[in-house]
Amino acid sequence: MTLETAVYLIPVTLGDTCIEQVLPSHNRDVVMGIKHFIVENVRSARRFLKKVEQSIDIDTLTFYELNQHTDRKFIEHYLDPIAKGQPVGIISEAGCPAIADPGADVVAIAQRKHIKVVPLVGPSSIILSVMASGFNGQSFAFHGYLPIDEDKKTARIRQLESRMYAEDQTQLFIETPYRNGKMMQTLLSTLRPQTRICLAANITCADEKIVTYTVAEWRKRIPQGASDDIVAREIPRVPAIFLIYK
Amino acid sequence: MTLETAVYLIPVTLGDTCIEQVLPSHNRDVVMGIKHFIVENVRSARRFLKKVEQSIDIDTLTFYELNQHTDRKFIEHYLDPIAKGQPVGIISEAGCPAIADPGADVVAIAQRKHIKVVPLVGPSSIILSVMASGFNGQSFAFHGYLPIDEDKKTARIRQLESRMYAEDQTQLFIETPYRNGKMMQTLLSTLRPQTRICLAANITCADEKIVTYTVAEWRKRIPQGASDDIVAREIPRVPAIFLIYK
């Protein structure tokens, strides 16, 4: 398969899942046609490529690292192969590139230069959790991380709950895994009893847990002052996404 | 493969794409383990299942229709097979179920009854367009359709543009294909010149077009009073999603 010269956005698995479970076989064909990859971490990108195709010759590939340490002025040159008719791939660390990673900066440059951008299908914890929550999928907003400061976080949660009721819009946000339990406790002491919370943890993995309860029901599962064990049993310390809706 | 008793959310292709391009092979294995399907349209669901596996015996399957004509009081019974240990599948008409279709009502019932819900990976025009737009993927909001009334639509567009600048949040919405050109013209006469618009049309199809320009650049491509031909050349009358960002 000869690939059209373009920037291809290549999703990876969420956690230690089989490639076949979450990526179309077409993605493998695209990957095999690319020699230049923009990646957040070279080591995990190599591991992913070996998982996609064991026979891949890693030494024939060029990797360009793009993370918070990368000087922004180099990024533009990462797309130089395109001018020579060679496709470029952007590989995410988890899930879909350019959703919550620095890949978006390269895509913005590609769009400004009128370079064709082709997104490939893969697992997105945002979409999968909206699907499985039972919440409104016609209107939803993803907010990334909430503020760390406890007062600001509480104020933000109240604001999102108000917007959810006023605009009939599902609200989504994430937290660092080890803080998941604390986040749920803050939600339970802040939100109205009838508001529903969906916790979607380790999506697409063997221990995937996607459950929706009202705040009142969650409060019974995790009473005020509950032990760390109870909290950890209900809210695992794994990548998770929180959704609220009426 | 024996499936766990659960409600499986089964995405389909967007338009006339190969299954292998946009769906993981795992989805086929799941589909082959299900005998009860909740679908928006029985005919297109059958066509999809034949595409997934030509040898599938459609006559052994039971279909439950769920669309705007379905009496809500029947929906709950669509999950009766679960009590007998039989998995149930929800098939979308396009893309991911429960995102912008009635499937969400069944998922909400399943969550209330504490039935396990398993979302499968597939093409989402929302996620794919955020990825390829180059816009902020850490914060974005999908709004479905905007109001039809021209004054209300303009007011809503202004509100979304303000929120985009104030909250650094990508804003997404859709339009009926034959009104795409009109929508773009309304955007061009309403938004600020420096605001960027991404048009993502026929995502994952052969004629996929995902392009980002500023309003000022779009205005040059589609001048005020442009002929229908020019508008149609720039803005195809196919399923599309509009994104705005700074």
Side-chain angles (χ1 to χ4, degrees):
Chain A
M1 175 163 134
T2 308
L3 273 191
E4 196 180 352
T5 305
V7 175
Y8 292 86
L9 308 180
I10 303 164
V12 304
T13 59
L14 296 169
D16 200 21
T17 312
C18 297
I19 296 277
E20 294 71 27
Q21 191 184 325
V22 294
L23 298 176
S25 61
H26 170 72
N27 294 22
R28 185 199 155 281
D29 301 340
V30 171
V31 162
M32 294 305 286
I34 299 177
K35 297 286 175 200
H36 301 269
F37 292 97
I38 300 169
V39 305
E40 220 173 313
N41 177 294
V42 175
R43 193 193 294 213
S44 56
R46 279 189 181 140
R47 205 181 310 132
F48 168 71
L49 292 171
K50 275 282 177 196
K51 217 165 132 184
V52 169
E53 176 54 59
Q54 240 207 308
S55 73
I56 202 167
D57 186 359
I58 298 278
D59 296 337
T60 64
L61 309 177
T62 311
F63 294 95
Y64 309 81
E65 213 158 33
L66 173 63
N67 51 45
Q68 66 270 38
H69 309 296
T70 311
D71 191 331
R72 262 31 197 169
K73 69 172 184 259
F74 292 134
I75 296 182
E76 203 149 332
H77 295 294
Y78 287 2
L79 297 175
D80 287 352
I82 296 283
K84 297 176 201 144
Q86 298 180 315
V88 169
I90 303 181
I91 300 180
S92 171
E93 270 299 284
C96 297
I99 289 298
D101 69 30
D105 295 347
V106 186
V107 177
I109 295 169
Q111 285 285 5
R112 258 200 297 278
K113 294 186 164 191
H114 310 314
I115 294 168
K116 185 166 177 163
V117 178
V118 180
L120 302 184
V121 173
S124 156
S125 56
I126 300 167
I127 285 293
L128 293 166
S129 67
V130 172
M131 286 162 69
S133 64
F135 293 170
N136 190 4
Q138 316 246 20
S139 176
F140 62 89
F142 173 68
H143 302 280
Y145 291 95
L146 302 191
I148 291 173
D149 173 84
E150 205 55 34
D151 288 345
K152 283 187 189 149
K153 188 190 287 170
T154 307
R156 182 78 170 129
I157 290 167
R158 286 222 173 81
Q159 186 201 23
L160 297 183
E161 185 183 43
S162 301
R163 186 174 290 177
M164 173 273 278
Y165 280 107
E167 303 189 11
D168 192 30
Q169 184 181 63
T170 304
Q171 307 293 326
L172 298 89
F173 43 89
I174 48 177
E175 181 53 288
T176 315
Y178 79 91
R179 285 207 200 103
N180 282 346
K182 186 81 191 57
M183 169 61 89
M184 181 59 93
Q185 288 173 306
T186 307
L187 291 174
L188 297 186
S189 61
T190 309
L191 296 169
R192 304 177 207 175
Q194 72 274 25
T195 295
R196 285 188 288 160
I197 305 173
C198 176
L199 171 80
N202 257 355
I203 298 179
T204 72
C205 296
D207 58 346
E208 173 179 273
K209 176 179 182 173
I210 310 178
V211 290
T212 297
Y213 300 108
T214 63
V215 168
E217 288 164 342
W218 276 114
R219 282 180 188 157
K220 282 185 201 152
R221 303 183 77 89
I222 309 172
Q224 253 194 326
S227 69
D228 286 356
D229 283 359
I230 289 178
V231 176
R233 194 189 60 204
E234 291 290 331
I235 316 294
R237 294 181 172 192
V238 297
I241 186 158
F242 294 84
L243 299 86
I244 63 171
Y245 189 60
K246 62 191 179 187
Chain B
M1 174 163 136
T2 308
L3 274 189
E4 195 180 352
T5 305
V7 174
Y8 292 86
L9 308 179
I10 303 162
V12 304
T13 60
L14 296 168
D16 200 19
T17 312
C18 298
I19 295 278
E20 293 73 27
Q21 191 185 325
V22 294
L23 298 176
S25 61
H26 169 71
N27 294 21
R28 184 198 155 281
D29 300 340
V30 171
V31 162
M32 295 306 285
I34 300 176
K35 297 286 175 201
H36 300 270
F37 292 97
I38 299 170
V39 305
E40 218 173 315
N41 177 295
V42 175
R43 193 193 295 212
S44 56
R46 279 187 179 142
R47 206 181 308 132
F48 168 72
L49 293 172
K50 275 282 176 195
K51 221 166 128 184
V52 169
E53 175 55 59
Q54 240 207 309
S55 72
I56 202 168
D57 186 358
I58 298 278
D59 295 337
T60 65
L61 311 175
T62 311
F63 294 95
Y64 308 81
E65 214 159 33
L66 173 63
N67 51 44
Q68 68 270 39
H69 308 296
T70 310
D71 192 329
R72 262 33 197 169
K73 70 172 182 256
F74 292 133
I75 296 181
E76 203 148 331
H77 295 294
Y78 287 2
L79 296 174
D80 287 350
I82 295 283
K84 296 176 203 145
Q86 299 180 316
V88 169
I90 302 182
I91 301 179
S92 169
E93 270 300 283
C96 297
I99 290 297
D101 69 29
D105 295 346
V106 186
V107 177
I109 294 169
Q111 287 284 7
R112 257 199 298 276
K113 294 184 164 193
H114 311 315
I115 295 168
K116 185 165 179 165
V117 178
V118 180
L120 302 184
V121 172
S124 155
S125 56
I126 299 168
I127 285 293
L128 293 166
S129 67
V130 172
M131 287 163 68
S133 64
F135 294 170
N136 190 4
Q138 316 245 21
S139 176
F140 62 88
F142 173 67
H143 302 281
Y145 292 94
L146 303 191
I148 291 172
D149 173 83
E150 205 55 35
D151 289 345
K152 283 186 190 151
K153 187 189 289 171
T154 307
R156 182 79 170 131
I157 290 168
R158 287 221 172 82
Q159 186 202 21
L160 296 184
E161 185 183 43
S162 301
R163 184 173 291 178
M164 176 271 280
Y165 280 107
E167 305 189 11
D168 191 32
Q169 184 180 65
T170 304
Q171 306 293 326
L172 298 88
F173 43 88
I174 48 176
E175 180 54 289
T176 315
Y178 79 92
R179 285 207 198 104
N180 282 345
K182 186 81 192 55
M183 169 61 88
M184 181 59 93
Q185 288 172 305
T186 307
L187 291 174
L188 296 186
S189 61
T190 308
L191 296 169
R192 304 176 207 175
Q194 71 274 26
T195 295
R196 286 188 288 159
I197 304 173
C198 175
L199 171 80
N202 256 354
I203 296 179
T204 71
C205 297
D207 58 346
E208 173 180 271
K209 177 180 182 173
I210 310 178
V211 290
T212 297
Y213 300 108
T214 62
V215 167
E217 288 165 342
W218 276 114
R219 282 180 186 156
K220 282 184 199 152
R221 303 183 77 89
I222 308 173
Q224 256 196 324
S227 69
D228 287 355
D229 282 359
I230 289 179
V231 177
R233 194 190 59 205
E234 292 288 332
I235 315 294
R237 295 183 172 190
V238 297
I241 186 158
F242 294 84
L243 300 86
I244 64 170
Y245 189 59
K246 61 190 178 185

